[in-house]
Amino acid sequence: MHRKKRYAAYVLLAVIDVAIIVGSLLAASVLYLGSVEALGGLNATHSLFGPVGAWMLVVAYACLLTTTYAVSRVYGCTYIGQIGKMAKRVAVINTFGLAFVVVLLYVFHLDDVSRMTLVIFYVLSTTASIFKNWVAFRIFYYQRKHNRRIQSTLVVGNGLLAQRYAATISENDTRLEDIVGHVRPLGAAGTTAGAAATDAAADEDALGAEVVAGEGLRAAHEALGTCLGSASELDSILFHAKVDKIVIALDPSEYATVQPVMAMADKYGTLLELVPFYNDFMPRRPDIDAVDDVKLVNLRSMPLSNPLNAAVKRLVDIATSSVIIVAFSWMYVIVAIGVKATSPGPVFFKQERVGLNNKTFNMLKFRSMRVNDESDTAWSTDEDPRKTKFGSFIRKFSIDELPQFFNVFVGDMSIVGPRPEIPHHVSAFREDIPRYMVRHQVRPGITGWAQVNGLRGDTSVRDRIEADLWYIENWSLWLDARIFVETIFGGFVNSEEIAR
């Protein structure tokens, strides 16, 4: 589907979702309270927001959820056919949305709002939204398949990059794209390869190389389909064959072929796409800028480079940290008393760490060790003699990390992100580990992808960095929610032994 049409479809799906959310609340109100006007008890907000306040709140909530769907690529999941992933994202977003509503009800003392209506609303809206996205995908798939709208693609190139593209398309039937064949690039002097004997020799050499590389490359070569000739013959090929799209996948030395191919594509009105030779270095969603006629590709672009994504993540951090600080205020008091009673020194341990944009900040923890002079350079270990008995206990269950929610609230940290390091280690790692400093382009986190995959404490630094970089390049609200849930159900308890 063309990008503009796809985005138009996403907007339509978002509008339908707004209607589903509002309609689900009305349906839940009728089912449980027997009245549309009751709005699940939200009509009690008239005294706070006026007679239309309840409706404004419902519509605003619906728009907030659909915006979160869009940021989390729920609609993109529908396009690429990842129905299971879409369903999980919708369920998680709706769960956090319901939790947010419950907190607001508690803060504003809106005791007349029916909690059971909210539960019914959650089930109806989640089920209906997932079903709607599933239907949308099936309609899209049916139309493309049964109305002969399968896209015929011609690949320009026969190297490894072209083979990788062809193999990927052949394994992904949700794109409904069929590769009709490929053409060879122009020769080094801009002429065709020539005789059939030369073609056969080239194909034989290519297959010989693939045999050495393995069956995977042979299958990739086969996915390219029949060689229809050279790029110089593209005029005749496009005239006689049905080609909806041309994909250019060339090596740097073959880029003299690009301009003639573009001219032929324009002549026949054929869609044109290009797989850049620096494909392996590009992020999944590159940010492209321009200085006059010079185009710039930001090779370090990431989802959180988008201001909307960053703002949504920050709002989630503020809301979640506020709830946790208030809800566990009693635990803060108990732990503070325990720390003070078991060893002399301050309640909080403050340590300088490197955060967003390489700026340092003081990360807070409940002090779990005796006051010492090695806190700025030495890592703690499972059997660290500096630990107190009470400190050993709170470290075992990660209770010592609770003050970091204050760091999240003020903006030094995020709930989910790469764990921050002390400046001493950052100076060493930046010299030895490629791309290490990329992790400082996002806020550090209390927990992260590395931590829920067991990479915490005395584990491989390189493996941790790889996990952090994967998280940064693949960030989504759904991924944050997954990491947060996995931390709650398995990431709090670590391998440290409680001191006796």
Side-chain angles (χ1 to χ4, degrees):
M1 185 185 295
H2 192 270
R3 179 176 296 178
K4 290 183 179 179
K5 293 182 179 179
R6 186 166 74 243
Y7 286 164
Y10 293 172
V11 171
L12 177 61
L13 293 176
V15 171
I16 296 174
D17 272 327
V18 170
I20 285 175
I21 293 168
V22 175
S24 295
L25 182 59
L26 295 177
S29 186
V30 171
L31 289 173
Y32 191 71
L33 299 177
S35 170
V36 174
E37 289 78 11
L39 277 179
L42 284 175
N43 54 354
T45 62
H46 286 183
S47 59
L48 292 175
F49 304 103
V52 296
W55 286 100
M56 292 177 62
L57 288 175
V58 172
V59 174
Y61 175 77
C63 292
L64 177 63
L65 277 193
T66 52
T67 300
T68 309
Y69 291 163
V71 171
S72 301
R73 300 192 296 278
V74 166
Y75 305 127
C77 286
T78 303
Y79 170 67
I80 61 178
Q82 296 174 317
I83 299 299
K85 183 179 292 186
M86 174 274 296
K88 290 179 182 178
R89 291 181 181 180
V90 170
V92 168
I93 292 169
N94 284 8
T95 301
F96 275 90
L98 181 63
F100 178 68
V101 169
V102 171
V103 170
L104 290 181
L105 295 178
Y106 174 79
V107 170
F108 289 100
H109 303 289
L110 297 174
D111 299 325
D112 294 333
V113 177
S114 170
R115 271 52 173 179
M116 182 54 68
T117 301
L118 292 181
V119 172
I120 297 173
F121 158 70
Y122 168 81
V123 173
L124 290 177
S125 61
T126 302
T127 304
S129 184
I130 292 173
F131 179 72
K132 178 267 302 179
N133 284 326
W134 179 82
V135 170
F137 171 72
R138 298 308 305 176
I139 291 174
F140 162 73
Y141 190 87
Y142 180 87
Q143 287 182 337
R144 289 288 299 276
K145 187 172 183 178
H146 294 277
N147 295 344
R148 301 183 182 277
R149 293 178 60 190
I150 295 179
Q151 197 169 53
S152 300
T153 299
L154 175 68
V155 178
V156 177
N158 56 5
L160 290 179
L161 199 59
Q163 293 175 23
R164 283 175 57 189
Y165 174 80
T168 301
I169 293 302
S170 67
E171 294 169 1
N172 188 349
D173 60 357
T174 64
R175 293 186 63 91
L176 294 173
E177 185 172 336
D178 180 39
I179 294 179
V180 297
H182 71 279
V183 296
R184 299 184 309 275
L186 299 175
T191 58
T192 66
T198 306
D199 296 343
D203 287 342
E204 185 176 351
D205 290 343
L207 285 176
E210 288 148 16
V211 170
V212 175
E215 292 300 323
L217 284 179
R218 182 185 294 274
H221 185 272
E222 292 174 353
L224 273 175
T226 306
C227 179
L228 302 180
S230 168
S232 63
E233 304 170 79
L234 198 55
D235 194 349
S236 175
I237 293 171
L238 293 178
F239 182 81
H240 292 94
K242 178 184 180 296
V243 176
D244 299 315
K245 183 176 73 172
I246 296 174
V247 173
I248 301 174
L250 299 169
D251 294 331
S253 60
E254 300 168 336
Y255 262 50
T257 304
V258 173
Q259 189 170 358
V261 171
M262 291 178 64
M264 286 298 105
D266 291 340
K267 177 179 179 180
Y268 287 91
T270 308
L271 294 175
L272 185 65
E273 294 181 355
L274 182 144
V275 182
F277 66 86
Y278 48 88
N279 176 74
D280 291 340
F281 304 103
M282 290 185 66
R284 292 177 61 87
R285 295 167 188 83
D287 181 20
I288 300 178
D289 197 0
V291 179
D292 293 332
D293 292 333
V294 179
K295 280 72 173 180
L296 302 174
V297 179
N298 186 346
L299 296 181
R300 288 295 175 262
S301 177
M302 58 195 72
L304 286 173
S305 299
N306 184 307
L308 178 60
N309 290 346
V312 170
K313 181 174 173 65
R314 181 70 188 121
L315 287 174
V316 171
D317 282 339
I318 293 173
T320 307
S321 61
S322 300
V323 171
I324 291 176
I325 290 171
V326 172
F328 290 91
S329 56
W330 58 273
M331 184 177 288
Y332 282 89
V333 175
I334 292 175
V335 176
I337 294 173
V339 171
K340 200 68 178 176
T342 53
S343 67
V347 171
F348 295 112
F349 169 66
K350 299 179 182 180
Q351 188 178 54
E352 188 179 41
R353 299 289 180 109
V354 180
L356 178 65
N357 297 326
N358 302 324
K359 294 181 179 178
T360 59
F361 68 97
N362 287 322
M363 189 181 76
L364 298 177
K365 286 188 177 185
F366 282 119
R367 184 171 56 82
S368 60
M369 296 186 179
R370 298 173 183 86
V371 178
N372 62 87
D373 297 326
E374 299 180 348
S375 61
D376 291 334
T377 58
W379 270 322
S380 61
T381 61
D382 288 356
E383 300 179 358
D384 201 307
R386 298 172 293 171
K387 291 189 299 184
T388 65
K389 290 184 178 181
F390 183 74
S392 177
F393 171 79
I394 62 176
R395 285 169 63 92
K396 175 68 176 179
F397 298 98
S398 300
I399 299 173
D400 62 321
E401 310 278 356
L402 276 176
Q404 289 169 38
F405 285 101
F406 288 102
N407 287 119
V408 173
F409 184 79
V410 300
D412 293 330
M413 296 178 65
S414 178
I415 292 176
V416 179
R419 285 294 291 168
E421 291 287 0
I422 61 178
H424 173 79
H425 291 142
V426 170
S427 298
F429 294 153
R430 70 190 303 171
E431 301 294 338
D432 300 330
I433 302 177
R435 301 180 64 202
Y436 175 80
M437 297 303 290
V438 173
R439 66 200 301 274
H440 295 120
Q441 295 181 17
V442 300
R443 282 186 177 87
I446 296 176
T447 185
W449 184 243
Q451 283 65 45
V452 297
N453 282 281
L455 298 171
R456 56 186 298 175
D458 190 16
T459 55
S460 168
V461 175
R462 289 184 179 272
D463 289 345
R464 270 187 278 166
I465 302 309
E466 285 300 317
D468 289 340
L469 295 177
W470 184 90
Y471 165 80
I472 291 170
E473 293 174 351
N474 294 274
W475 175 87
S476 67
L477 279 180
W478 156 247
L479 181 59
D480 272 3
R482 173 183 172 183
I483 293 171
F484 186 73
V485 171
E486 288 187 11
T487 300
I488 292 175
F489 289 100
F492 278 128
V493 181
N494 55 53
S495 60
E496 294 190 21
E497 296 294 331
I498 299 178
R500 299 181 182 277

PDB file of all heavy atoms in Angstrom, residues 448-475:
ATOM      1  N   GLY A 448      15.653  -2.069  32.693  1.00  0.00           N
ATOM      2  CA  GLY A 448      15.854  -2.000  31.256  1.00  0.00           C
ATOM      3  C   GLY A 448      15.830  -3.365  30.603  1.00  0.00           C
ATOM      4  O   GLY A 448      15.664  -4.394  31.270  1.00  0.00           O
ATOM      5  N   TRP A 449      16.003  -3.373  29.295  1.00  0.00           N
ATOM      6  CA  TRP A 449      15.982  -4.614  28.521  1.00  0.00           C
ATOM      7  C   TRP A 449      17.111  -5.545  28.957  1.00  0.00           C
ATOM      8  O   TRP A 449      16.927  -6.766  29.016  1.00  0.00           O
ATOM      9  CB  TRP A 449      16.107  -4.279  27.046  1.00  0.00           C
ATOM     10  CG  TRP A 449      15.999  -5.447  26.110  1.00  0.00           C
ATOM     11  CD1 TRP A 449      16.954  -5.904  25.263  1.00  0.00           C
ATOM     12  CD2 TRP A 449      14.856  -6.289  25.919  1.00  0.00           C
ATOM     13  NE1 TRP A 449      16.498  -6.979  24.550  1.00  0.00           N
ATOM     14  CE2 TRP A 449      15.203  -7.245  24.934  1.00  0.00           C
ATOM     15  CE3 TRP A 449      13.584  -6.338  26.484  1.00  0.00           C
ATOM     16  CZ2 TRP A 449      14.316  -8.220  24.507  1.00  0.00           C
ATOM     17  CZ3 TRP A 449      12.696  -7.328  26.055  1.00  0.00           C
ATOM     18  CH2 TRP A 449      13.068  -8.251  25.078  1.00  0.00           C
ATOM     19  N   ALA A 450      18.264  -4.988  29.275  1.00  0.00           N
ATOM     20  CA  ALA A 450      19.379  -5.816  29.739  1.00  0.00           C
ATOM     21  C   ALA A 450      19.036  -6.488  31.060  1.00  0.00           C
ATOM     22  O   ALA A 450      19.301  -7.684  31.267  1.00  0.00           O
ATOM     23  CB  ALA A 450      20.639  -4.958  29.889  1.00  0.00           C
ATOM     24  N   GLN A 451      18.410  -5.749  31.981  1.00  0.00           N
ATOM     25  CA  GLN A 451      18.127  -6.273  33.312  1.00  0.00           C
ATOM     26  C   GLN A 451      17.106  -7.412  33.274  1.00  0.00           C
ATOM     27  O   GLN A 451      17.284  -8.425  33.946  1.00  0.00           O
ATOM     28  CB  GLN A 451      17.617  -5.136  34.226  1.00  0.00           C
ATOM     29  CG  GLN A 451      18.709  -4.216  34.739  1.00  0.00           C
ATOM     30  CD  GLN A 451      19.380  -3.432  33.619  1.00  0.00           C
ATOM     31  OE1 GLN A 451      18.725  -2.888  32.739  1.00  0.00           O
ATOM     32  NE2 GLN A 451      20.707  -3.378  33.639  1.00  0.00           N
ATOM     33  N   VAL A 452      16.041  -7.274  32.470  1.00  0.00           N
ATOM     34  CA  VAL A 452      15.034  -8.337  32.437  1.00  0.00           C
ATOM     35  C   VAL A 452      15.528  -9.554  31.669  1.00  0.00           C
ATOM     36  O   VAL A 452      14.906 -10.614  31.730  1.00  0.00           O
ATOM     37  CB  VAL A 452      13.709  -7.832  31.819  1.00  0.00           C
ATOM     38  CG1 VAL A 452      13.118  -6.725  32.665  1.00  0.00           C
ATOM     39  CG2 VAL A 452      13.897  -7.372  30.378  1.00  0.00           C
ATOM     40  N   ASN A 453      16.652  -9.403  30.968  1.00  0.00           N
ATOM     41  CA  ASN A 453      17.253 -10.553  30.284  1.00  0.00           C
ATOM     42  C   ASN A 453      18.434 -11.119  31.072  1.00  0.00           C
ATOM     43  O   ASN A 453      19.277 -11.831  30.522  1.00  0.00           O
ATOM     44  CB  ASN A 453      17.702 -10.154  28.879  1.00  0.00           C
ATOM     45  CG  ASN A 453      16.548 -10.084  27.893  1.00  0.00           C
ATOM     46  OD1 ASN A 453      16.088 -11.101  27.387  1.00  0.00           O
ATOM     47  ND2 ASN A 453      16.052  -8.888  27.648  1.00  0.00           N
ATOM     48  N   GLY A 454      18.494 -10.784  32.359  1.00  0.00           N
ATOM     49  CA  GLY A 454      19.499 -11.366  33.239  1.00  0.00           C
ATOM     50  C   GLY A 454      20.854 -10.708  33.202  1.00  0.00           C
ATOM     51  O   GLY A 454      21.795 -11.196  33.835  1.00  0.00           O
ATOM     52  N   LEU A 455      20.990  -9.598  32.486  1.00  0.00           N
ATOM     53  CA  LEU A 455      22.289  -8.929  32.358  1.00  0.00           C
ATOM     54  C   LEU A 455      22.382  -7.810  33.383  1.00  0.00           C
ATOM     55  O   LEU A 455      22.247  -6.630  33.064  1.00  0.00           O
ATOM     56  CB  LEU A 455      22.462  -8.391  30.936  1.00  0.00           C
ATOM     57  CG  LEU A 455      22.454  -9.448  29.836  1.00  0.00           C
ATOM     58  CD1 LEU A 455      22.408  -8.800  28.463  1.00  0.00           C
ATOM     59  CD2 LEU A 455      23.670 -10.350  29.963  1.00  0.00           C
ATOM     60  N   ARG A 456      22.585  -8.167  34.621  1.00  0.00           N
ATOM     61  CA  ARG A 456      22.712  -7.191  35.689  1.00  0.00           C
ATOM     62  C   ARG A 456      23.802  -7.655  36.636  1.00  0.00           C
ATOM     63  O   ARG A 456      24.158  -8.830  36.676  1.00  0.00           O
ATOM     64  CB  ARG A 456      21.384  -7.024  36.448  1.00  0.00           C
ATOM     65  CG  ARG A 456      20.828  -8.307  37.017  1.00  0.00           C
ATOM     66  CD  ARG A 456      19.450  -8.103  37.629  1.00  0.00           C
ATOM     67  NE  ARG A 456      19.495  -7.164  38.739  1.00  0.00           N
ATOM     68  CZ  ARG A 456      18.411  -6.753  39.378  1.00  0.00           C
ATOM     69  NH1 ARG A 456      17.207  -7.182  39.012  1.00  0.00           N
ATOM     70  NH2 ARG A 456      18.509  -5.913  40.388  1.00  0.00           N
ATOM     71  N   GLY A 457      24.355  -6.715  37.391  1.00  0.00           N
ATOM     72  CA  GLY A 457      25.421  -7.071  38.327  1.00  0.00           C
ATOM     73  C   GLY A 457      26.701  -7.443  37.605  1.00  0.00           C
ATOM     74  O   GLY A 457      27.115  -6.801  36.639  1.00  0.00           O
ATOM     75  N   ASP A 458      27.318  -8.525  38.049  1.00  0.00           N
ATOM     76  CA  ASP A 458      28.615  -8.947  37.515  1.00  0.00           C
ATOM     77  C   ASP A 458      28.418  -9.800  36.259  1.00  0.00           C
ATOM     78  O   ASP A 458      28.631 -11.016  36.262  1.00  0.00           O
ATOM     79  CB  ASP A 458      29.375  -9.727  38.595  1.00  0.00           C
ATOM     80  CG  ASP A 458      30.823  -9.983  38.188  1.00  0.00           C
ATOM     81  OD1 ASP A 458      31.297  -9.307  37.250  1.00  0.00           O
ATOM     82  OD2 ASP A 458      31.466 -10.847  38.812  1.00  0.00           O
ATOM     83  N   THR A 459      27.966  -9.175  35.159  1.00  0.00           N
ATOM     84  CA  THR A 459      27.776  -9.864  33.884  1.00  0.00           C
ATOM     85  C   THR A 459      28.559  -9.143  32.794  1.00  0.00           C
ATOM     86  O   THR A 459      29.156  -8.100  33.033  1.00  0.00           O
ATOM     87  CB  THR A 459      26.275  -9.914  33.504  1.00  0.00           C
ATOM     88  OG1 THR A 459      25.759  -8.580  33.502  1.00  0.00           O
ATOM     89  CG2 THR A 459      25.477 -10.743  34.511  1.00  0.00           C
ATOM     90  N   SER A 460      28.533  -9.705  31.591  1.00  0.00           N
ATOM     91  CA  SER A 460      29.304  -9.141  30.480  1.00  0.00           C
ATOM     92  C   SER A 460      28.848  -7.719  30.159  1.00  0.00           C
ATOM     93  O   SER A 460      27.668  -7.479  29.858  1.00  0.00           O
ATOM     94  CB  SER A 460      29.141 -10.030  29.245  1.00  0.00           C
ATOM     95  OG  SER A 460      29.645  -9.378  28.099  1.00  0.00           O
ATOM     96  N   VAL A 461      29.781  -6.781  30.200  1.00  0.00           N
ATOM     97  CA  VAL A 461      29.458  -5.386  29.887  1.00  0.00           C
ATOM     98  C   VAL A 461      29.060  -5.267  28.419  1.00  0.00           C
ATOM     99  O   VAL A 461      28.101  -4.555  28.079  1.00  0.00           O
ATOM    100  CB  VAL A 461      30.659  -4.476  30.200  1.00  0.00           C
ATOM    101  CG1 VAL A 461      30.370  -3.041  29.751  1.00  0.00           C
ATOM    102  CG2 VAL A 461      30.983  -4.502  31.681  1.00  0.00           C
ATOM    103  N   ARG A 462      29.753  -5.962  27.540  1.00  0.00           N
ATOM    104  CA  ARG A 462      29.438  -5.883  26.109  1.00  0.00           C
ATOM    105  C   ARG A 462      28.025  -6.393  25.822  1.00  0.00           C
ATOM    106  O   ARG A 462      27.299  -5.813  25.008  1.00  0.00           O
ATOM    107  CB  ARG A 462      30.464  -6.676  25.295  1.00  0.00           C
ATOM    108  CG  ARG A 462      31.846  -6.019  25.262  1.00  0.00           C
ATOM    109  CD  ARG A 462      32.813  -6.771  24.379  1.00  0.00           C
ATOM    110  NE  ARG A 462      34.111  -6.112  24.356  1.00  0.00           N
ATOM    111  CZ  ARG A 462      34.441  -5.151  23.507  1.00  0.00           C
ATOM    112  NH1 ARG A 462      33.563  -4.743  22.597  1.00  0.00           N
ATOM    113  NH2 ARG A 462      35.647  -4.597  23.544  1.00  0.00           N
ATOM    114  N   ASP A 463      27.644  -7.483  26.477  1.00  0.00           N
ATOM    115  CA  ASP A 463      26.289  -8.005  26.281  1.00  0.00           C
ATOM    116  C   ASP A 463      25.252  -7.012  26.780  1.00  0.00           C
ATOM    117  O   ASP A 463      24.193  -6.834  26.168  1.00  0.00           O
ATOM    118  CB  ASP A 463      26.120  -9.339  27.014  1.00  0.00           C
ATOM    119  CG  ASP A 463      26.900 -10.463  26.354  1.00  0.00           C
ATOM    120  OD1 ASP A 463      27.323 -10.285  25.190  1.00  0.00           O
ATOM    121  OD2 ASP A 463      27.110 -11.508  27.000  1.00  0.00           O
ATOM    122  N   ARG A 464      25.543  -6.355  27.894  1.00  0.00           N
ATOM    123  CA  ARG A 464      24.614  -5.358  28.425  1.00  0.00           C
ATOM    124  C   ARG A 464      24.458  -4.189  27.449  1.00  0.00           C
ATOM    125  O   ARG A 464      23.355  -3.688  27.215  1.00  0.00           O
ATOM    126  CB  ARG A 464      25.106  -4.841  29.771  1.00  0.00           C
ATOM    127  CG  ARG A 464      24.581  -5.648  30.959  1.00  0.00           C
ATOM    128  CD  ARG A 464      24.974  -4.983  32.251  1.00  0.00           C
ATOM    129  NE  ARG A 464      26.328  -5.317  32.645  1.00  0.00           N
ATOM    130  CZ  ARG A 464      27.023  -4.692  33.582  1.00  0.00           C
ATOM    131  NH1 ARG A 464      26.480  -3.661  34.200  1.00  0.00           N
ATOM    132  NH2 ARG A 464      28.242  -5.070  33.913  1.00  0.00           N
ATOM    133  N   ILE A 465      25.579  -3.752  26.878  1.00  0.00           N
ATOM    134  CA  ILE A 465      25.527  -2.628  25.951  1.00  0.00           C
ATOM    135  C   ILE A 465      24.743  -3.005  24.702  1.00  0.00           C
ATOM    136  O   ILE A 465      23.947  -2.209  24.184  1.00  0.00           O
ATOM    137  CB  ILE A 465      26.948  -2.163  25.575  1.00  0.00           C
ATOM    138  CG1 ILE A 465      27.731  -1.767  26.829  1.00  0.00           C
ATOM    139  CG2 ILE A 465      26.882  -0.998  24.601  1.00  0.00           C
ATOM    140  CD1 ILE A 465      27.011  -0.805  27.737  1.00  0.00           C
ATOM    141  N   GLU A 466      24.942  -4.221  24.200  1.00  0.00           N
ATOM    142  CA  GLU A 466      24.191  -4.672  23.028  1.00  0.00           C
ATOM    143  C   GLU A 466      22.698  -4.667  23.319  1.00  0.00           C
ATOM    144  O   GLU A 466      21.882  -4.272  22.474  1.00  0.00           O
ATOM    145  CB  GLU A 466      24.646  -6.080  22.608  1.00  0.00           C
ATOM    146  CG  GLU A 466      25.996  -6.115  21.914  1.00  0.00           C
ATOM    147  CD  GLU A 466      26.002  -5.287  20.633  1.00  0.00           C
ATOM    148  OE1 GLU A 466      25.019  -5.376  19.861  1.00  0.00           O
ATOM    149  OE2 GLU A 466      26.971  -4.537  20.408  1.00  0.00           O
ATOM    150  N   ALA A 467      22.317  -5.112  24.513  1.00  0.00           N
ATOM    151  CA  ALA A 467      20.903  -5.116  24.893  1.00  0.00           C
ATOM    152  C   ALA A 467      20.369  -3.687  24.993  1.00  0.00           C
ATOM    153  O   ALA A 467      19.247  -3.390  24.558  1.00  0.00           O
ATOM    154  CB  ALA A 467      20.708  -5.851  26.215  1.00  0.00           C
ATOM    155  N   ASP A 468      21.172  -2.788  25.562  1.00  0.00           N
ATOM    156  CA  ASP A 468      20.755  -1.385  25.678  1.00  0.00           C
ATOM    157  C   ASP A 468      20.545  -0.757  24.299  1.00  0.00           C
ATOM    158  O   ASP A 468      19.566  -0.038  24.067  1.00  0.00           O
ATOM    159  CB  ASP A 468      21.801  -0.576  26.452  1.00  0.00           C
ATOM    160  CG  ASP A 468      21.832  -0.920  27.931  1.00  0.00           C
ATOM    161  OD1 ASP A 468      20.834  -1.471  28.433  1.00  0.00           O
ATOM    162  OD2 ASP A 468      22.864  -0.645  28.575  1.00  0.00           O
ATOM    163  N   LEU A 469      21.470  -1.017  23.372  1.00  0.00           N
ATOM    164  CA  LEU A 469      21.369  -0.442  22.037  1.00  0.00           C
ATOM    165  C   LEU A 469      20.164  -0.999  21.286  1.00  0.00           C
ATOM    166  O   LEU A 469      19.496  -0.272  20.537  1.00  0.00           O
ATOM    167  CB  LEU A 469      22.664  -0.705  21.251  1.00  0.00           C
ATOM    168  CG  LEU A 469      23.920  -0.019  21.808  1.00  0.00           C
ATOM    169  CD1 LEU A 469      25.148  -0.421  20.986  1.00  0.00           C
ATOM    170  CD2 LEU A 469      23.764   1.493  21.806  1.00  0.00           C
ATOM    171  N   TRP A 470      19.891  -2.277  21.489  1.00  0.00           N
ATOM    172  CA  TRP A 470      18.705  -2.870  20.850  1.00  0.00           C
ATOM    173  C   TRP A 470      17.442  -2.180  21.356  1.00  0.00           C
ATOM    174  O   TRP A 470      16.531  -1.863  20.576  1.00  0.00           O
ATOM    175  CB  TRP A 470      18.631  -4.366  21.147  1.00  0.00           C
ATOM    176  CG  TRP A 470      17.487  -5.036  20.428  1.00  0.00           C
ATOM    177  CD1 TRP A 470      17.507  -5.604  19.192  1.00  0.00           C
ATOM    178  CD2 TRP A 470      16.136  -5.154  20.899  1.00  0.00           C
ATOM    179  NE1 TRP A 470      16.260  -6.085  18.857  1.00  0.00           N
ATOM    180  CE2 TRP A 470      15.400  -5.824  19.884  1.00  0.00           C
ATOM    181  CE3 TRP A 470      15.479  -4.771  22.058  1.00  0.00           C
ATOM    182  CZ2 TRP A 470      14.048  -6.105  20.019  1.00  0.00           C
ATOM    183  CZ3 TRP A 470      14.121  -5.053  22.195  1.00  0.00           C
ATOM    184  CH2 TRP A 470      13.422  -5.719  21.188  1.00  0.00           C
ATOM    185  N   TYR A 471      17.388  -1.924  22.667  1.00  0.00           N
ATOM    186  CA  TYR A 471      16.222  -1.248  23.247  1.00  0.00           C
ATOM    187  C   TYR A 471      16.066   0.154  22.660  1.00  0.00           C
ATOM    188  O   TYR A 471      14.961   0.556  22.285  1.00  0.00           O
ATOM    189  CB  TYR A 471      16.378  -1.170  24.766  1.00  0.00           C
ATOM    190  CG  TYR A 471      15.430  -0.186  25.418  1.00  0.00           C
ATOM    191  CD1 TYR A 471      14.108  -0.523  25.664  1.00  0.00           C
ATOM    192  CD2 TYR A 471      15.861   1.109  25.759  1.00  0.00           C
ATOM    193  CE1 TYR A 471      13.233   0.386  26.234  1.00  0.00           C
ATOM    194  CE2 TYR A 471      14.989   2.017  26.330  1.00  0.00           C
ATOM    195  CZ  TYR A 471      13.680   1.652  26.563  1.00  0.00           C
ATOM    196  OH  TYR A 471      12.816   2.556  27.123  1.00  0.00           O
ATOM    197  N   ILE A 472      17.157   0.886  22.572  1.00  0.00           N
ATOM    198  CA  ILE A 472      17.102   2.261  22.074  1.00  0.00           C
ATOM    199  C   ILE A 472      16.598   2.295  20.634  1.00  0.00           C
ATOM    200  O   ILE A 472      15.790   3.154  20.263  1.00  0.00           O
ATOM    201  CB  ILE A 472      18.501   2.912  22.171  1.00  0.00           C
ATOM    202  CG1 ILE A 472      18.877   3.135  23.648  1.00  0.00           C
ATOM    203  CG2 ILE A 472      18.551   4.233  21.417  1.00  0.00           C
ATOM    204  CD1 ILE A 472      20.313   3.551  23.850  1.00  0.00           C
ATOM    205  N   GLU A 473      17.038   1.362  19.809  1.00  0.00           N
ATOM    206  CA  GLU A 473      16.664   1.367  18.396  1.00  0.00           C
ATOM    207  C   GLU A 473      15.273   0.797  18.151  1.00  0.00           C
ATOM    208  O   GLU A 473      14.695   1.012  17.080  1.00  0.00           O
ATOM    209  CB  GLU A 473      17.698   0.577  17.591  1.00  0.00           C
ATOM    210  CG  GLU A 473      19.074   1.237  17.560  1.00  0.00           C
ATOM    211  CD  GLU A 473      20.126   0.383  16.880  1.00  0.00           C
ATOM    212  OE1 GLU A 473      19.815  -0.804  16.583  1.00  0.00           O
ATOM    213  OE2 GLU A 473      21.241   0.870  16.645  1.00  0.00           O
ATOM    214  N   ASN A 474      14.728   0.076  19.123  1.00  0.00           N
ATOM    215  CA  ASN A 474      13.430  -0.574  18.938  1.00  0.00           C
ATOM    216  C   ASN A 474      12.397  -0.108  19.953  1.00  0.00           C
ATOM    217  O   ASN A 474      11.390  -0.783  20.175  1.00  0.00           O
ATOM    218  CB  ASN A 474      13.588  -2.097  19.035  1.00  0.00           C
ATOM    219  CG  ASN A 474      14.414  -2.678  17.912  1.00  0.00           C
ATOM    220  OD1 ASN A 474      13.907  -2.984  16.842  1.00  0.00           O
ATOM    221  ND2 ASN A 474      15.716  -2.823  18.146  1.00  0.00           N
ATOM    222  N   TRP A 475      12.618   1.064  20.553  1.00  0.00           N
ATOM    223  CA  TRP A 475      11.738   1.530  21.612  1.00  0.00           C
ATOM    224  C   TRP A 475      10.288   1.664  21.143  1.00  0.00           C
ATOM    225  O   TRP A 475       9.999   2.055  20.018  1.00  0.00           O
ATOM    226  CB  TRP A 475      12.182   2.904  22.121  1.00  0.00           C
ATOM    227  CG  TRP A 475      11.215   3.451  23.133  1.00  0.00           C
ATOM    228  CD1 TRP A 475      11.218   3.216  24.470  1.00  0.00           C
ATOM    229  CD2 TRP A 475      10.076   4.280  22.875  1.00  0.00           C
ATOM    230  NE1 TRP A 475      10.160   3.859  25.071  1.00  0.00           N
ATOM    231  CE2 TRP A 475       9.439   4.519  24.116  1.00  0.00           C
ATOM    232  CE3 TRP A 475       9.527   4.844  21.723  1.00  0.00           C
ATOM    233  CZ2 TRP A 475       8.284   5.295  24.232  1.00  0.00           C
ATOM    234  CZ3 TRP A 475       8.376   5.609  21.834  1.00  0.00           C
ATOM    235  CH2 TRP A 475       7.776   5.832  23.079  1.00  0.00           C
TER     236      TRP A 475
END
